[in-house]
Structures are given as structure tokens and as C-alpha cells.
Amino acid sequence: PAFHSSPTPAVPFHPLRSTAAHEQQMFRSGLEKVCPGLKLGCVPHIGHFNDGQDYKLARTLAAVQFMKEPHEKIPPEGFDLLMRRDSVMDVEVYVALYDMQDLRDWLYKKRQPYVVNLLFHAWVFNQLPYRKEADGEIEVAIFGSSGVFPVSEDSRGLVKGLRKFSQNVWVKDKIYMCMGPDTAVCRVDRHRLVCSFWSLCIPAGEERAVVTKHVLINETHTHISREIGNACLELSDSSVANVLNHLQKLLQSVQNATHRLSRLMARCEGAFEGIFLDARGDGTQANAAPYRGSTDPMEVWEEQLNLLDRSVGEGHTASERPAPLLSEMIRKRVYEDLGKKRRGGKFPADDDETIGLGEKVFLTGSTGADKAQALHRVLIECITDLERLAEGQAEMLSVEGVTA
């Protein structure tokens, strides 16, 4: 099929005219158009069905629609899926960024697994008025995932191939607009700071489709991750100026985060290996005084994790905000890494049995070198996730003649 982007009329470019029309042809905010009945931006959302009561939604930080050759942004895996549906003529392509913190806290408070729904209601029923109901059928697939897992064993689950789901909106007590059913679910790694995946949605009987890259910032209480979330807010109106500002702030926040994590890695690795480099303990301070802190590796490990939490607001309490902070996420990832080394056979990622086994190994059955290597692998992966976020945004939001 010959795909073309939806609906922005071509505007002849004139060198004396404002560049606004030219910018609009490159990017457009996915949140500027709102479904009247649902009061949500006409883009895919992430949330939890909550037994059909009050749908719990992740906060959508920004969504950008690509207006210029959008199909070129789609990975080959997604494009192959599109080519299997000859009826599709219009394709909309977005990148959407989500702050998952409040939704995670709610799920942990309810003792629910980190399994979320992908909602297309506001995009599928984008003209739906308030107090009106709607239903339809869609085909959805996910692909290109990092830290997000298909749920193939459940008929409600999203998989790498196209699967049919219902989407409906109903009115409760003549006032409340409700979305359902409890379908299109995927599992998210509880201890990865940044996760991402792509989705494809095709409404039944229509000629349009939407392809979205979803970027999930899972923790935004810690300073370094909060700054990354703030950088994503710069995409509010998706002008070229805002896109460039976003890329600059995102790059700076990622550099700050990777530097902080690198210091933690060097400090803890050195302690577990019995090497203390300087007064800061990480080897980054030129002409530093000799190291005079604790030399007990476990004390150093706990101290460094506690220092990460130092930037979290005083009002943060485990009872109200039970989702793990970045420090605890790193701890659990280290346990999981050690558990994988001891456990045989096939088992899922982010598995409680693996983490529990790894915790025992960390506390009683591993050498300092084992701990140092596990910590190194985990923090390198976290740093790589952050760098991929900055690189991926720079690649997708490249501006001709400026960033490319």
C-alpha cells in the first residue's frame, strides 16, 4: 500500500513566510488534539484497567507526531506487519514519553504486578462526544521492546504478531466515561529505569493505522531521573525550537545521570575489589587526598545507595510511595544478575525466584569480585539504556540542516 501521513494540507514554502508552516510539516504535538468525551490526547495511552472502575493512567509527558515521511521512522519489523494489511492507506507515527512513577506507586500499593494496558480509545474514537458510548475492534502488535515483555499465554496479552482486541467506551451513572475491556496488556520490568517498545494499531474496517514508539521513565523521584523526565516536558508544543531544546536538555540530563552512576560504580567496585582510589573513592578527583572512609565493602555499598536517595523529597514515604526508588532498583538488578548465574534452564526476566536466589548469593555465597562484576554489568546496562534514550530521540527528532 502507498502510505501517506494524515491530515496536514501541503503548504507551499515561501522564504519570506514564517517558518511555522514548515515546522508543522515536520512535527506536531500529539496532545494538541483531544477526544471531547474522554478529555485525553488523541494518542495511545498506558494505564491499568482497575476492574472497570477509575482507569489509572500513566502521565503522558509528551507525544510527537511525525508529519514528514512518517513511514521512514517505522522499524522494519513494524513495516512488515503493516504490509500485511493492504487496506491501510494512512499511517500516523508518534513517539510518546510517559512518567510511570504514579502508576507504579499505585500498582505497588495494590500489590499488583507491573502489567499495564495499552489504550487506543482516544485515538480510535477521536470525535466521541461526552456521555456518548462507542465500541470497535482493533488489531495490535508490539515489537522492538526493551524491558517490556509480550504476554502470549493470556488472550488479553500483546504479542509480536497482530492480535485482535475490543475497545469500548461506556457511560457510568450518566456522568463517568469508562474505557475497557481489560485487554492489550504487557509486562514491564520493575527494575529498569528506562524501558521502551513500539506498537502498531489498526482499527477494523478502516484505512488508517497508528505506529508509536513508547518510552517509559519508570522512576522520577530521584534527582537524576527526575531531570530526564523534565527534559521530556520540553516537547509540549513540538515546534522545532522546542524539539531542539528537548534534545539539548535530554542530552545534558543523561550525561549527568551517567556520570553519577559511573561514580557509584567505580566507588562500589573498588570497595568490593579492595581498591580505594582517592578521597572521593572513585578516582575522579585529581591530586586527591588519600581515601579515609569506610573500607568495609558492604558499608560502602549501602552508603552509596543511600546517597542516591538523598535527593528524594522529604515528603516521600514508603507507605504512600511504595514503588522502589532507583537505589532499590539497582540493588534488585544486582541480585537478579547473580541469580541468573546460579540458576539453570529457561526463566523469565525480572523473576522473583531469580532475584531471591541472587540475594542469598550476594549476602552469603559470593566473593567481592563476583559482586563487583555483577554491579558493573548492571550499571553499564543502566547507563546504556540512558544513552540509547538520548541517541534514539536525537535520531527520531533530527531536524534537517540542524541536527542531522
Side-chain angles (χ1 to χ4, degrees):
F3 301 121
H4 51 88
S5 62
S6 324
T8 295
V11 180
F13 182 73
H14 190 281
L16 299 180
R17 182 179 296 155
S18 165
T19 60
H22 178 59
E23 290 181 5
Q24 189 180 25
Q25 293 175 10
M26 297 186 68
F27 312 111
R28 186 169 68 186
S29 172
L31 301 179
E32 70 179 31
K33 185 178 179 183
V34 175
C35 172
L38 297 174
K39 304 294 191 293
L40 294 173
C42 296
V43 295
H45 294 267
I46 292 175
H48 189 277
F49 182 63
N50 190 24
D51 296 325
Q53 301 301 311
D54 178 21
Y55 224 114
K56 300 298 179 182
L57 296 178
R59 179 188 178 201
T60 304
L61 295 169
V64 178
Q65 182 179 4
F66 299 96
M67 307 305 296
K68 188 174 182 181
E69 304 294 342
H71 59 279
E72 293 183 357
K73 304 291 184 181
I74 305 172
E77 190 176 355
F79 199 81
D80 289 345
L81 289 167
L82 266 175
M83 294 297 288
R84 298 175 190 176
R85 296 295 182 267
D86 293 339
S87 60
V88 175
M89 301 301 292
D90 295 318
V91 60
E92 297 176 20
V93 182
Y94 296 87
V95 58
L97 304 106
Y98 308 87
D99 179 347
M100 304 297 290
Q101 183 67 66
D102 290 344
L103 180 58
R104 285 174 69 240
D105 281 326
W106 181 85
L107 287 169
Y108 270 80
K109 208 169 182 179
K110 294 286 187 179
R111 300 184 182 276
Q112 296 285 330
Y114 198 4
V115 174
V116 296
N117 300 79
L118 191 54
L119 296 89
F120 294 94
H121 304 69
W123 182 81
V124 173
F125 310 121
N126 54 35
Q127 302 293 330
L128 183 67
Y130 178 54
R131 294 184 180 177
K132 294 294 182 180
E133 300 185 342
D135 61 82
E137 193 172 77
I138 56 175
E139 286 187 291
V140 185
I142 61 171
F143 51 95
S145 301
S146 175
V148 176
F149 311 103
V151 184
S152 56
E153 67 277 6
D154 189 331
S155 61
R156 302 174 305 131
L158 292 162
V159 295
K160 292 184 178 181
L162 286 164
R163 213 179 222 189
K164 290 184 179 180
F165 301 102
S166 296
Q167 298 274 271
N168 54 60
V169 179
W170 69 94
V171 182
K172 179 182 176 183
D173 299 332
K174 299 182 180 180
I175 297 175
Y176 304 105
M177 302 289 286
C178 301
M179 297 180 289
D182 185 9
T183 57
V185 300
C186 57
R187 185 171 71 88
V188 185
D189 195 309
R190 294 169 295 173
H191 305 126
R192 290 275 286 271
L193 177 57
V194 179
C195 298
S196 64
F197 68 102
W198 285 81
S199 72
L200 163 65
C201 172
I202 306 172
E206 297 190 29
E207 295 183 345
R208 62 188 180 125
V210 60
V211 181
T212 310
K213 181 181 181 181
H214 309 265
V215 179
L216 285 56
I217 314 296
N218 284 317
E219 197 265 24
T220 54
H221 285 320
T222 305
H223 176 71
I224 57 176
S225 51
R226 185 166 61 245
E227 289 303 306
I228 291 168
N230 289 340
C232 296
L233 289 171
E234 295 295 327
L235 285 171
S236 55
D237 69 7
S238 300
S239 65
V240 167
N242 272 14
V243 165
L244 295 176
N245 198 33
H246 158 71
L247 294 177
Q248 181 183 14
K249 289 195 173 183
L250 180 62
L251 178 60
Q252 185 61 57
S253 63
V254 164
Q255 287 175 341
N256 292 341
T258 56
H259 179 67
R260 179 67 186 85
L261 294 174
S262 295
R263 283 173 51 198
L264 184 151
M265 179 170 63
R267 180 72 182 85
C268 292
E269 274 193 75
F272 285 126
E273 295 279 14
I275 302 169
F276 298 92
L277 300 170
D278 55 38
R280 292 178 64 168
D282 58 15
T284 61
Q285 188 171 341
N287 303 317
Y291 177 75
R292 297 185 184 279
S294 171
T295 57
D296 181 279
M298 296 301 288
E299 286 184 14
V300 172
W301 164 245
E302 294 297 336
E303 175 193 57
Q304 291 299 308
L305 292 180
N306 288 335
L307 285 174
L308 267 187
D309 295 343
R310 191 171 56 180
S311 61
V312 178
E314 292 181 2
H316 184 280
T317 61
S319 59
E320 292 300 314
R321 295 287 193 174
L325 296 170
L326 179 58
S327 58
E328 186 65 13
M329 294 162 75
I330 292 171
R331 186 196 301 274
K332 296 289 189 182
R333 294 286 292 171
V334 170
Y335 292 165
E336 183 181 9
D337 183 274
L338 287 168
K340 286 178 180 177
K341 297 293 182 183
R342 295 293 180 94
R343 192 175 176 188
K346 288 187 176 181
F347 47 88
D350 186 23
D351 179 69
D352 284 333
E353 184 178 341
T354 305
I355 294 169
L357 174 61
E359 182 177 5
K360 291 179 181 177
V361 172
F362 184 87
L363 296 175
T364 61
S366 58
T367 65
D370 292 335
K371 294 181 179 72
Q373 290 168 14
L375 174 68
H376 181 87
R377 286 188 293 266
V378 166
L379 286 173
I380 287 295
E381 182 179 46
C382 186
I383 289 169
T384 300
D385 285 345
L386 291 167
E387 291 175 341
R388 283 177 179 164
L389 168 61
E391 292 167 2
Q393 288 294 97
E395 182 179 350
M396 290 198 73
L397 296 168
S398 60
V399 179
E400 291 180 5
V402 182
T403 61

